[in-house]
Amino acid sequence: EAQVTQNPRYLITVTGKKLTVTCSQNMNHEYMSWYRQDPGLGLRQIYYSMNVEVTDKGDVPEGYKVSRKEKRNFPLILESPSPNQTSLYFCASSGASGRMVYEQYFGPGTRLTVT
Amino acid sequence: AQSVTQLDSQVPVFEEAPVELRCNYSSSVSVYLFWYVQYPNQGLQLLLKYLSGSTLVKGINGFEAEFNKSQTSFHLRKPSVHISDTAEYFCAVSHGSGNTGKLIFGQGTTLQVKP
């Protein structure tokens, strides 16, 4: 089954404790992206990757890191989480041709609470 | 810069009534347009997309949308809603040429279908 998986689905942590949210897709997609969803703000892009070893900042990259060492995986790293990073996070992937990206497929989401 | 405005944050409607969820965007270049649906505690699922061609686009679950370039709108419609259509709906836009895969989302519209 074609899908985007994220782990963990739920995470409660404390300020400053490094964490990683994993994302994996099995559709051989070139493009992957991370979004955060907050009430009244819709979804905002954090980082995206057009291919292996190619990443770029989205609208709200502060406090986050990503890496793309393999095509299927795109982990999101919070080196020192803070309470304002409490949010619902979505990973997405998409086929691409050159710089043209098509519809994105979303993972189930990771609900992160930072206390 | 691109932006997306969903004109209604909540739309209450009775079962079997028609519904329209409004979406306007601002862009000076060609765009790709999408509607996604998010059911409670789930990720986003693509409802329909406009890339090019016919301005009337049909999607899943009986939804359709019409691309109106002169009014920069992409309103979503369904002639008769069901209780199961209760969800949050997001309009999204990306550049149609040379795009970097960046999706700009609206703030979302909650559709509440009442019996």
Side-chain angles (χ1 to χ4, degrees):
Chain A
E1 179 189 356
Q3 60 182 351
V4 178
T5 56
Q6 296 178 227
N7 283 292
R9 294 288 313 278
Y10 302 91
L11 179 60
I12 301 174
T13 190
V14 296
T15 299
K17 186 176 181 181
K18 180 179 179 180
L19 66 92
T20 299
V21 183
T22 64
C23 173
S24 182
Q25 51 95 2
N26 63 2
M27 295 169 278
N28 200 37
H29 283 163
E30 293 81 4
Y31 175 90
M32 298 185 75
S33 180
W34 276 102
Y35 297 87
R36 60 177 289 173
Q37 182 180 17
D38 301 289
L41 297 177
L43 281 85
R44 294 176 293 168
Q45 190 178 49
I46 303 170
Y47 270 95
Y48 65 94
S49 168
M50 294 295 288
N51 215 322
V52 175
E53 303 291 1
V54 180
T55 63
D56 208 345
K57 297 177 181 179
D59 294 315
V60 288
E62 294 78 19
Y64 304 95
K65 285 177 57 177
V66 293
S67 68
R68 186 94 182 272
K69 294 183 170 57
E70 303 168 284
K71 196 172 186 179
R72 63 183 290 125
N73 296 323
F74 190 46
L76 179 70
I77 303 156
L78 284 72
E79 294 271 4
S80 183
S82 62
N84 65 11
Q85 292 178 298
T86 292
S87 187
L88 180 58
Y89 291 86
F90 288 101
C91 180
S93 74
S94 173
S97 175
R99 293 180 67 79
M100 305 296 286
V101 176
Y102 304 106
E103 66 268 26
Q104 296 185 22
Y105 296 86
F106 285 79
T110 295
R111 187 167 293 281
L112 172 65
T113 302
V114 183
T115 62
Chain B
Q2 287 180 323
S3 67
V4 179
T5 303
Q6 292 183 239
L7 297 157
D8 306 291
S9 59
Q10 293 190 349
V11 174
V13 64
F14 286 105
E15 195 173 18
E16 298 184 7
V19 71
E20 177 180 81
L21 307 184
R22 297 179 293 168
C23 173
N24 286 93
Y25 67 93
S26 65
S27 175
S28 59
V29 298
S30 63
V31 293
Y32 292 163
L33 297 157
F34 307 87
W35 274 99
Y36 285 87
V37 59
Q38 184 179 28
Y39 298 105
N41 300 314
Q42 294 188 27
L44 278 76
Q45 179 182 1
L46 182 69
L47 265 181
L48 48 80
K49 63 186 178 187
Y50 171 80
L51 303 183
S52 65
S54 173
T55 57
L56 183 62
V57 179
K58 293 191 184 299
I60 62 171
N61 301 340
F63 283 92
E64 65 179 33
E66 186 158 18
F67 170 54
N68 188 319
K69 188 174 181 180
S70 63
Q71 298 189 2
T72 60
S73 68
F74 191 55
H75 301 333
L76 180 71
R77 301 186 183 99
K78 186 170 183 178
S80 176
V81 295
H82 302 288
I83 295 287
S84 59
D85 292 323
T86 295
E88 189 154 21
Y89 293 78
F90 292 95
C91 180
V93 173
S94 71
H95 278 301
S97 61
N99 83 69
T100 59
K102 184 171 182 175
L103 270 181
I104 307 296
F105 283 87
Q107 297 89 338
T109 298
T110 301
L111 176 63
Q112 301 163 322
V113 182
K114 304 176 181 180

